[in-house]
Amino acid sequence: MDIQKSDALRRMPVLSLVLPCYNEQEVLPETTRQLEALLARLQASGEIAEGSAIYYVDDGSRDATWDMISSYSEQSDKVCGIKLSRNRGHQNALLCGLLTAPGDILISLDADLQDDLEAIPRMVAEYRKGSEIVFAVRRRRNKDTFFKRVSAESYYKFLAFMGVQIVYNHADFRLMSRRAVESLRSYDETHLFLRGLIPQLGYKSSTVEFDRAERFAGESKYPLTKMLSLAWQGVTSFSAYPLRLITGVGMAISILSLAMAFWAIVTKLFTNQALPGWASTVIPMYFLGGVQLLSLGIIGEYVAKIFESSKNRPRFHVESLCGKGFSEDGSR
Ligand code: UDP
Ligand code: MG
């Protein structure tokens, strides 16, 4: 491609907004209305090209989400839908959307309007200036509960400590160029943690700040268990530090026990003090038992990952598509 043509593309790209949805019937009407208005505005001002559209990924919803998406796609050529065969989790749904939607740039965001739409024009502007990936980062977390704020902040710090390269306070609200998305295609890990993976792609990247709002309607689809599981993926998919920690703790305890043995011999040989009894026998037993079980658990977690990956199962199945973006002319 000659440089002039690629410059023209960069000035006026086709934008696809990718939104995973799981039981989002309460928010979809408002989300669609706001996103359509945004696309129309950006198109009118010449920031994005004709053909830009919303791509909803229905992650196996049990409510009217898919019916709504398909009826919107009949009424408007700005709405398209991808239906997964069952619930595969936010990360897989997001990946499916990124890998399936057309467009020169793709912006992923949540369906519940928590991500500030006004950050989108700024993200597009960063792309036009040359960034291949634009991370939206939260300025403040004043809308989150105290628990969520503290746990999220400690988690980001913990990941950084473990050597995981991550963009601080960035979740999955980001812009990716076609080139970056194509690079993502070659990673086929079973346990996805996109916000850890994408910074590893390299390419020129930048950040824009936004304030996260409260969920527009409906309930969070990320209960504590799902959140903990994602957090754990983030650690074990990108860091072998927990395994190393086990080695360190094991070594320290071994050295300590040698010292204890030495002390016991010295006591026995050179003093007539009573030998340590119950406490010194039972406490180390429980302690070591605990350390061993924990270590086995952590090793087991990595082994389970190898097991899951070795099966190499597909991460999602697309059941159906709707919308102009997938029709004959917008073909895929
Ligand atoms: N989501 C999904 N599959 C799931 C859980 C969530 O596609 O199994 C979507 C959900 O519809 C939303 C986004 O992921 O668009 C973020 O979820 P949510 O807003 O419930 O999470 P929170 O903001 O509470 O962390
Ligand atoms: Mg949300």
Side-chain angles (χ1 to χ4, degrees), residues 19-24 57 59 87-90 93 109-112 114 148 212 215 219-222 226-227:
L19 295 92
C21 308
Y22 180 53
N23 297 342
E24 296 289 10
V57 185
D59 186 17
N87 180 254
R88 303 302 298 237
H90 172 232
L109 66 159
D110 289 355
D112 57 7
Q114 282 195 283
K148 190 144 185 180
R212 193 159 158 94
R215 177 175 254 282
E219 282 172 4
S220 172
K221 310 299 179 301
Y222 253 110
K226 270 194 190 174
M227 192 92 79

PDB file of all heavy atoms in Angstrom, residues 19-24 57 59 87-90 93 109-112 114 148 212 215 219-222 226-227, ligand 1:
ATOM      1  N   LEU A  19     -18.923  -4.310  21.594  1.00  0.00           N
ATOM      2  CA  LEU A  19     -19.483  -4.349  22.959  1.00  0.00           C
ATOM      3  C   LEU A  19     -19.981  -5.739  23.321  1.00  0.00           C
ATOM      4  O   LEU A  19     -20.979  -6.203  22.774  1.00  0.00           O
ATOM      5  CB  LEU A  19     -20.678  -3.386  23.071  1.00  0.00           C
ATOM      6  CG  LEU A  19     -20.382  -1.900  22.901  1.00  0.00           C
ATOM      7  CD1 LEU A  19     -20.543  -1.487  21.464  1.00  0.00           C
ATOM      8  CD2 LEU A  19     -21.299  -1.069  23.773  1.00  0.00           C
ATOM      9  N   PRO A  20     -19.284  -6.418  24.239  1.00  0.00           N
ATOM     10  CA  PRO A  20     -19.803  -7.706  24.714  1.00  0.00           C
ATOM     11  C   PRO A  20     -21.044  -7.449  25.576  1.00  0.00           C
ATOM     12  O   PRO A  20     -21.064  -6.489  26.345  1.00  0.00           O
ATOM     13  CB  PRO A  20     -18.678  -8.257  25.596  1.00  0.00           C
ATOM     14  CG  PRO A  20     -17.522  -7.347  25.419  1.00  0.00           C
ATOM     15  CD  PRO A  20     -18.026  -6.054  24.903  1.00  0.00           C
ATOM     16  N   CYS A  21     -22.050  -8.270  25.423  1.00  0.00           N
ATOM     17  CA  CYS A  21     -23.284  -8.076  26.193  1.00  0.00           C
ATOM     18  C   CYS A  21     -23.724  -9.391  26.795  1.00  0.00           C
ATOM     19  O   CYS A  21     -23.855 -10.382  26.085  1.00  0.00           O
ATOM     20  CB  CYS A  21     -24.447  -7.643  25.309  1.00  0.00           C
ATOM     21  SG  CYS A  21     -24.075  -6.260  24.287  1.00  0.00           S
ATOM     22  N   TYR A  22     -23.999  -9.372  28.070  1.00  0.00           N
ATOM     23  CA  TYR A  22     -24.551 -10.552  28.724  1.00  0.00           C
ATOM     24  C   TYR A  22     -25.756 -10.102  29.528  1.00  0.00           C
ATOM     25  O   TYR A  22     -25.598  -9.375  30.509  1.00  0.00           O
ATOM     26  CB  TYR A  22     -23.480 -11.200  29.603  1.00  0.00           C
ATOM     27  CG  TYR A  22     -23.956 -12.434  30.326  1.00  0.00           C
ATOM     28  CD1 TYR A  22     -24.546 -13.479  29.619  1.00  0.00           C
ATOM     29  CD2 TYR A  22     -23.819 -12.550  31.696  1.00  0.00           C
ATOM     30  CE1 TYR A  22     -24.998 -14.604  30.280  1.00  0.00           C
ATOM     31  CE2 TYR A  22     -24.253 -13.677  32.358  1.00  0.00           C
ATOM     32  CZ  TYR A  22     -24.847 -14.699  31.654  1.00  0.00           C
ATOM     33  OH  TYR A  22     -25.291 -15.814  32.294  1.00  0.00           O
ATOM     34  N   ASN A  23     -26.928 -10.484  29.101  1.00  0.00           N
ATOM     35  CA  ASN A  23     -28.179 -10.070  29.749  1.00  0.00           C
ATOM     36  C   ASN A  23     -28.249  -8.559  29.925  1.00  0.00           C
ATOM     37  O   ASN A  23     -28.389  -8.059  31.030  1.00  0.00           O
ATOM     38  CB  ASN A  23     -28.333 -10.755  31.116  1.00  0.00           C
ATOM     39  CG  ASN A  23     -28.433 -12.260  30.975  1.00  0.00           C
ATOM     40  OD1 ASN A  23     -28.717 -12.774  29.892  1.00  0.00           O
ATOM     41  ND2 ASN A  23     -28.195 -12.971  32.053  1.00  0.00           N
ATOM     42  N   GLU A  24     -28.158  -7.843  28.851  1.00  0.00           N
ATOM     43  CA  GLU A  24     -28.127  -6.378  28.946  1.00  0.00           C
ATOM     44  C   GLU A  24     -29.382  -5.725  28.386  1.00  0.00           C
ATOM     45  O   GLU A  24     -29.327  -4.609  27.890  1.00  0.00           O
ATOM     46  CB  GLU A  24     -26.876  -5.838  28.223  1.00  0.00           C
ATOM     47  CG  GLU A  24     -25.542  -6.245  28.813  1.00  0.00           C
ATOM     48  CD  GLU A  24     -25.224  -5.571  30.150  1.00  0.00           C
ATOM     49  OE1 GLU A  24     -26.113  -4.920  30.729  1.00  0.00           O
ATOM     50  OE2 GLU A  24     -24.073  -5.710  30.604  1.00  0.00           O
ATOM     51  N   VAL A  57     -21.699  -8.158  20.782  1.00  0.00           N
ATOM     52  CA  VAL A  57     -21.439  -9.593  20.861  1.00  0.00           C
ATOM     53  C   VAL A  57     -22.314 -10.143  21.967  1.00  0.00           C
ATOM     54  O   VAL A  57     -22.120  -9.813  23.136  1.00  0.00           O
ATOM     55  CB  VAL A  57     -19.961  -9.892  21.200  1.00  0.00           C
ATOM     56  CG1 VAL A  57     -19.702 -11.392  21.154  1.00  0.00           C
ATOM     57  CG2 VAL A  57     -19.024  -9.149  20.272  1.00  0.00           C
ATOM     58  N   ASP A  59     -23.137 -12.616  24.465  1.00  0.00           N
ATOM     59  CA  ASP A  59     -22.389 -13.690  25.114  1.00  0.00           C
ATOM     60  C   ASP A  59     -23.359 -14.690  25.759  1.00  0.00           C
ATOM     61  O   ASP A  59     -23.346 -14.886  26.966  1.00  0.00           O
ATOM     62  CB  ASP A  59     -21.455 -13.049  26.160  1.00  0.00           C
ATOM     63  CG  ASP A  59     -20.521 -14.059  26.791  1.00  0.00           C
ATOM     64  OD1 ASP A  59     -20.365 -15.151  26.221  1.00  0.00           O
ATOM     65  OD2 ASP A  59     -19.949 -13.752  27.851  1.00  0.00           O
ATOM     66  N   ASN A  87     -22.690 -18.751  26.845  1.00  0.00           N
ATOM     67  CA  ASN A  87     -21.902 -17.789  27.610  1.00  0.00           C
ATOM     68  C   ASN A  87     -20.451 -18.256  27.739  1.00  0.00           C
ATOM     69  O   ASN A  87     -20.183 -19.340  28.250  1.00  0.00           O
ATOM     70  CB  ASN A  87     -22.543 -17.602  28.996  1.00  0.00           C
ATOM     71  CG  ASN A  87     -21.778 -16.616  29.842  1.00  0.00           C
ATOM     72  OD1 ASN A  87     -21.088 -16.999  30.773  1.00  0.00           O
ATOM     73  ND2 ASN A  87     -21.860 -15.348  29.530  1.00  0.00           N
ATOM     74  N   ARG A  88     -19.523 -17.467  27.214  1.00  0.00           N
ATOM     75  CA  ARG A  88     -18.105 -17.834  27.277  1.00  0.00           C
ATOM     76  C   ARG A  88     -17.318 -16.854  28.127  1.00  0.00           C
ATOM     77  O   ARG A  88     -16.105 -16.925  28.185  1.00  0.00           O
ATOM     78  CB  ARG A  88     -17.474 -17.855  25.877  1.00  0.00           C
ATOM     79  CG  ARG A  88     -18.113 -18.768  24.851  1.00  0.00           C
ATOM     80  CD  ARG A  88     -18.158 -20.215  25.280  1.00  0.00           C
ATOM     81  NE  ARG A  88     -16.867 -20.773  25.488  1.00  0.00           N
ATOM     82  CZ  ARG A  88     -16.400 -21.847  24.861  1.00  0.00           C
ATOM     83  NH1 ARG A  88     -17.136 -22.461  23.972  1.00  0.00           N
ATOM     84  NH2 ARG A  88     -15.210 -22.325  25.131  1.00  0.00           N
ATOM     85  N   GLY A  89     -17.963 -15.903  28.724  1.00  0.00           N
ATOM     86  CA  GLY A  89     -17.249 -14.933  29.564  1.00  0.00           C
ATOM     87  C   GLY A  89     -16.849 -13.700  28.766  1.00  0.00           C
ATOM     88  O   GLY A  89     -16.656 -13.767  27.549  1.00  0.00           O
ATOM     89  N   HIS A  90     -16.758 -12.618  29.490  1.00  0.00           N
ATOM     90  CA  HIS A  90     -16.484 -11.314  28.890  1.00  0.00           C
ATOM     91  C   HIS A  90     -15.242 -11.306  27.982  1.00  0.00           C
ATOM     92  O   HIS A  90     -15.286 -10.815  26.863  1.00  0.00           O
ATOM     93  CB  HIS A  90     -16.335 -10.306  30.038  1.00  0.00           C
ATOM     94  CG  HIS A  90     -15.880  -8.963  29.621  1.00  0.00           C
ATOM     95  ND1 HIS A  90     -14.817  -8.333  30.203  1.00  0.00           N
ATOM     96  CD2 HIS A  90     -16.320  -8.120  28.670  1.00  0.00           C
ATOM     97  CE1 HIS A  90     -14.639  -7.159  29.636  1.00  0.00           C
ATOM     98  NE2 HIS A  90     -15.540  -6.997  28.708  1.00  0.00           N
ATOM     99  N   ALA A  93     -15.835 -13.167  24.746  1.00  0.00           N
ATOM    100  CA  ALA A  93     -16.798 -12.455  23.910  1.00  0.00           C
ATOM    101  C   ALA A  93     -16.110 -11.256  23.254  1.00  0.00           C
ATOM    102  O   ALA A  93     -16.298 -10.980  22.062  1.00  0.00           O
ATOM    103  CB  ALA A  93     -17.980 -12.000  24.750  1.00  0.00           C
ATOM    104  N   LEU A 109     -15.692  -1.539  24.372  1.00  0.00           N
ATOM    105  CA  LEU A 109     -16.222  -0.891  25.573  1.00  0.00           C
ATOM    106  C   LEU A 109     -17.344  -1.738  26.153  1.00  0.00           C
ATOM    107  O   LEU A 109     -17.818  -2.675  25.499  1.00  0.00           O
ATOM    108  CB  LEU A 109     -16.683   0.543  25.292  1.00  0.00           C
ATOM    109  CG  LEU A 109     -17.865   0.794  24.369  1.00  0.00           C
ATOM    110  CD1 LEU A 109     -18.431   2.166  24.639  1.00  0.00           C
ATOM    111  CD2 LEU A 109     -17.440   0.743  22.918  1.00  0.00           C
ATOM    112  N   ASP A 110     -17.730  -1.413  27.398  1.00  0.00           N
ATOM    113  CA  ASP A 110     -18.807  -2.159  28.037  1.00  0.00           C
ATOM    114  C   ASP A 110     -20.154  -1.656  27.547  1.00  0.00           C
ATOM    115  O   ASP A 110     -20.292  -0.505  27.149  1.00  0.00           O
ATOM    116  CB  ASP A 110     -18.738  -1.997  29.562  1.00  0.00           C
ATOM    117  CG  ASP A 110     -17.561  -2.751  30.153  1.00  0.00           C
ATOM    118  OD1 ASP A 110     -16.879  -3.466  29.387  1.00  0.00           O
ATOM    119  OD2 ASP A 110     -17.334  -2.615  31.363  1.00  0.00           O
ATOM    120  N   ALA A 111     -21.146  -2.537  27.646  1.00  0.00           N
ATOM    121  CA  ALA A 111     -22.476  -2.175  27.140  1.00  0.00           C
ATOM    122  C   ALA A 111     -23.246  -1.292  28.103  1.00  0.00           C
ATOM    123  O   ALA A 111     -24.274  -0.747  27.744  1.00  0.00           O
ATOM    124  CB  ALA A 111     -23.263  -3.450  26.865  1.00  0.00           C
ATOM    125  N   ASP A 112     -22.766  -1.142  29.346  1.00  0.00           N
ATOM    126  CA  ASP A 112     -23.590  -0.478  30.363  1.00  0.00           C
ATOM    127  C   ASP A 112     -23.340   1.017  30.504  1.00  0.00           C
ATOM    128  O   ASP A 112     -23.746   1.614  31.500  1.00  0.00           O
ATOM    129  CB  ASP A 112     -23.386  -1.174  31.712  1.00  0.00           C
ATOM    130  CG  ASP A 112     -21.925  -1.190  32.110  1.00  0.00           C
ATOM    131  OD1 ASP A 112     -21.117  -0.564  31.416  1.00  0.00           O
ATOM    132  OD2 ASP A 112     -21.591  -1.827  33.121  1.00  0.00           O
ATOM    133  N   GLN A 114     -20.749   2.614  31.242  1.00  0.00           N
ATOM    134  CA  GLN A 114     -19.836   3.061  32.311  1.00  0.00           C
ATOM    135  C   GLN A 114     -18.620   3.758  31.714  1.00  0.00           C
ATOM    136  O   GLN A 114     -17.997   4.588  32.360  1.00  0.00           O
ATOM    137  CB  GLN A 114     -19.389   1.871  33.156  1.00  0.00           C
ATOM    138  CG  GLN A 114     -20.431   1.423  34.145  1.00  0.00           C
ATOM    139  CD  GLN A 114     -19.830   0.516  35.188  1.00  0.00           C
ATOM    140  OE1 GLN A 114     -19.573  -0.653  34.930  1.00  0.00           O
ATOM    141  NE2 GLN A 114     -19.578   1.048  36.364  1.00  0.00           N
ATOM    142  N   LYS A 148     -14.301  -2.129  45.872  1.00  0.00           N
ATOM    143  CA  LYS A 148     -13.829  -2.305  44.494  1.00  0.00           C
ATOM    144  C   LYS A 148     -12.597  -1.417  44.238  1.00  0.00           C
ATOM    145  O   LYS A 148     -11.639  -1.824  43.584  1.00  0.00           O
ATOM    146  CB  LYS A 148     -14.949  -1.967  43.513  1.00  0.00           C
ATOM    147  CG  LYS A 148     -14.611  -2.355  42.094  1.00  0.00           C
ATOM    148  CD  LYS A 148     -15.805  -2.859  41.344  1.00  0.00           C
ATOM    149  CE  LYS A 148     -15.366  -3.348  39.993  1.00  0.00           C
ATOM    150  NZ  LYS A 148     -16.445  -3.850  39.191  1.00  0.00           N
ATOM    151  N   ARG A 212     -15.070   7.133  34.996  1.00  0.00           N
ATOM    152  CA  ARG A 212     -16.003   6.022  34.845  1.00  0.00           C
ATOM    153  C   ARG A 212     -17.314   6.334  35.568  1.00  0.00           C
ATOM    154  O   ARG A 212     -17.305   6.736  36.724  1.00  0.00           O
ATOM    155  CB  ARG A 212     -15.371   4.755  35.391  1.00  0.00           C
ATOM    156  CG  ARG A 212     -16.111   3.493  34.996  1.00  0.00           C
ATOM    157  CD  ARG A 212     -15.162   2.337  35.124  1.00  0.00           C
ATOM    158  NE  ARG A 212     -15.844   1.085  35.268  1.00  0.00           N
ATOM    159  CZ  ARG A 212     -16.143   0.262  34.264  1.00  0.00           C
ATOM    160  NH1 ARG A 212     -15.836   0.599  33.048  1.00  0.00           N
ATOM    161  NH2 ARG A 212     -16.722  -0.892  34.486  1.00  0.00           N
ATOM    162  N   ARG A 215     -23.051   2.199  36.387  1.00  0.00           N
ATOM    163  CA  ARG A 215     -23.782   1.406  35.406  1.00  0.00           C
ATOM    164  C   ARG A 215     -25.123   2.078  35.118  1.00  0.00           C
ATOM    165  O   ARG A 215     -25.815   2.475  36.049  1.00  0.00           O
ATOM    166  CB  ARG A 215     -23.966   0.003  35.991  1.00  0.00           C
ATOM    167  CG  ARG A 215     -24.752  -0.943  35.165  1.00  0.00           C
ATOM    168  CD  ARG A 215     -24.750  -2.293  35.810  1.00  0.00           C
ATOM    169  NE  ARG A 215     -23.876  -3.217  35.077  1.00  0.00           N
ATOM    170  CZ  ARG A 215     -24.239  -3.804  33.949  1.00  0.00           C
ATOM    171  NH1 ARG A 215     -25.410  -3.580  33.431  1.00  0.00           N
ATOM    172  NH2 ARG A 215     -23.405  -4.620  33.331  1.00  0.00           N
ATOM    173  N   GLU A 219     -27.804  -4.998  36.469  1.00  0.00           N
ATOM    174  CA  GLU A 219     -26.834  -5.324  37.518  1.00  0.00           C
ATOM    175  C   GLU A 219     -25.492  -5.686  36.924  1.00  0.00           C
ATOM    176  O   GLU A 219     -25.424  -6.058  35.760  1.00  0.00           O
ATOM    177  CB  GLU A 219     -27.331  -6.562  38.277  1.00  0.00           C
ATOM    178  CG  GLU A 219     -28.418  -6.252  39.254  1.00  0.00           C
ATOM    179  CD  GLU A 219     -29.000  -7.512  39.838  1.00  0.00           C
ATOM    180  OE1 GLU A 219     -28.491  -8.606  39.520  1.00  0.00           O
ATOM    181  OE2 GLU A 219     -29.975  -7.389  40.591  1.00  0.00           O
ATOM    182  N   SER A 220     -24.460  -5.630  37.749  1.00  0.00           N
ATOM    183  CA  SER A 220     -23.137  -6.040  37.286  1.00  0.00           C
ATOM    184  C   SER A 220     -23.173  -7.515  36.893  1.00  0.00           C
ATOM    185  O   SER A 220     -23.793  -8.329  37.567  1.00  0.00           O
ATOM    186  CB  SER A 220     -22.116  -5.837  38.389  1.00  0.00           C
ATOM    187  OG  SER A 220     -20.894  -6.401  37.983  1.00  0.00           O
ATOM    188  N   LYS A 221     -22.521  -7.841  35.777  1.00  0.00           N
ATOM    189  CA  LYS A 221     -22.451  -9.242  35.342  1.00  0.00           C
ATOM    190  C   LYS A 221     -21.110  -9.837  35.758  1.00  0.00           C
ATOM    191  O   LYS A 221     -20.699 -10.872  35.298  1.00  0.00           O
ATOM    192  CB  LYS A 221     -22.615  -9.335  33.819  1.00  0.00           C
ATOM    193  CG  LYS A 221     -23.809  -8.570  33.261  1.00  0.00           C
ATOM    194  CD  LYS A 221     -25.125  -9.082  33.816  1.00  0.00           C
ATOM    195  CE  LYS A 221     -26.361  -8.348  33.317  1.00  0.00           C
ATOM    196  NZ  LYS A 221     -26.410  -6.923  33.584  1.00  0.00           N
ATOM    197  N   TYR A 222     -20.408  -9.096  36.616  1.00  0.00           N
ATOM    198  CA  TYR A 222     -19.114  -9.538  37.109  1.00  0.00           C
ATOM    199  C   TYR A 222     -19.185  -9.722  38.618  1.00  0.00           C
ATOM    200  O   TYR A 222     -18.726  -8.868  39.364  1.00  0.00           O
ATOM    201  CB  TYR A 222     -18.031  -8.499  36.784  1.00  0.00           C
ATOM    202  CG  TYR A 222     -17.109  -8.927  35.690  1.00  0.00           C
ATOM    203  CD1 TYR A 222     -17.128  -8.317  34.448  1.00  0.00           C
ATOM    204  CD2 TYR A 222     -16.188  -9.948  35.898  1.00  0.00           C
ATOM    205  CE1 TYR A 222     -16.280  -8.716  33.436  1.00  0.00           C
ATOM    206  CE2 TYR A 222     -15.335 -10.349  34.895  1.00  0.00           C
ATOM    207  CZ  TYR A 222     -15.391  -9.728  33.665  1.00  0.00           C
ATOM    208  OH  TYR A 222     -14.549 -10.120  32.672  1.00  0.00           O
ATOM    209  N   LYS A 226     -16.307 -14.135  39.562  1.00  0.00           N
ATOM    210  CA  LYS A 226     -15.764 -13.939  38.211  1.00  0.00           C
ATOM    211  C   LYS A 226     -14.590 -12.971  38.248  1.00  0.00           C
ATOM    212  O   LYS A 226     -13.611 -13.126  37.529  1.00  0.00           O
ATOM    213  CB  LYS A 226     -16.840 -13.352  37.290  1.00  0.00           C
ATOM    214  CG  LYS A 226     -17.666 -14.398  36.584  1.00  0.00           C
ATOM    215  CD  LYS A 226     -18.460 -13.748  35.454  1.00  0.00           C
ATOM    216  CE  LYS A 226     -19.472 -14.699  34.868  1.00  0.00           C
ATOM    217  NZ  LYS A 226     -20.331 -14.072  33.882  1.00  0.00           N
ATOM    218  N   MET A 227     -14.717 -11.955  39.112  1.00  0.00           N
ATOM    219  CA  MET A 227     -13.662 -10.960  39.231  1.00  0.00           C
ATOM    220  C   MET A 227     -12.386 -11.612  39.753  1.00  0.00           C
ATOM    221  O   MET A 227     -11.298 -11.391  39.244  1.00  0.00           O
ATOM    222  CB  MET A 227     -14.133  -9.883  40.212  1.00  0.00           C
ATOM    223  CG  MET A 227     -13.297  -8.661  40.243  1.00  0.00           C
ATOM    224  SD  MET A 227     -13.965  -7.525  39.089  1.00  0.00           S
ATOM    225  CE  MET A 227     -15.308  -6.914  40.050  1.00  0.00           C
TER     226      MET A 227
HETATM  227  N1  UDP B   1     -20.134  -9.478  30.057  1.00  0.00           N
HETATM  228  C1  UDP B   1     -20.095 -10.506  29.107  1.00  0.00           C
HETATM  229  N2  UDP B   1     -20.071 -11.815  29.557  1.00  0.00           N
HETATM  230  C2  UDP B   1     -20.075 -12.145  30.869  1.00  0.00           C
HETATM  231  C3  UDP B   1     -20.078 -11.083  31.822  1.00  0.00           C
HETATM  232  C4  UDP B   1     -20.107  -9.775  31.386  1.00  0.00           C
HETATM  233  O1  UDP B   1     -20.094 -10.246  27.908  1.00  0.00           O
HETATM  234  O2  UDP B   1     -20.073 -13.337  31.179  1.00  0.00           O
HETATM  235  C5  UDP B   1     -20.173  -8.079  29.594  1.00  0.00           C
HETATM  236  C6  UDP B   1     -21.285  -7.224  30.161  1.00  0.00           C
HETATM  237  O3  UDP B   1     -22.480  -7.353  29.423  1.00  0.00           O
HETATM  238  C7  UDP B   1     -20.708  -5.821  30.052  1.00  0.00           C
HETATM  239  C8  UDP B   1     -19.220  -6.060  30.263  1.00  0.00           C
HETATM  240  O4  UDP B   1     -18.995  -7.456  30.028  1.00  0.00           O
HETATM  241  O5  UDP B   1     -20.894  -5.249  28.784  1.00  0.00           O
HETATM  242  C9  UDP B   1     -18.754  -5.683  31.649  1.00  0.00           C
HETATM  243  O6  UDP B   1     -19.585  -6.309  32.607  1.00  0.00           O
HETATM  244  P1  UDP B   1     -20.188  -5.526  33.853  1.00  0.00           P
HETATM  245  O7  UDP B   1     -20.531  -4.137  33.471  1.00  0.00           O
HETATM  246  O8  UDP B   1     -21.311  -6.340  34.400  1.00  0.00           O
HETATM  247  O9  UDP B   1     -18.954  -5.549  34.834  1.00  0.00           O
HETATM  248  P2  UDP B   1     -18.528  -4.421  35.908  1.00  0.00           P
HETATM  249  O10 UDP B   1     -18.534  -3.110  35.193  1.00  0.00           O
HETATM  250  O11 UDP B   1     -19.566  -4.501  36.974  1.00  0.00           O
HETATM  251  O12 UDP B   1     -17.173  -4.852  36.364  1.00  0.00           O
END
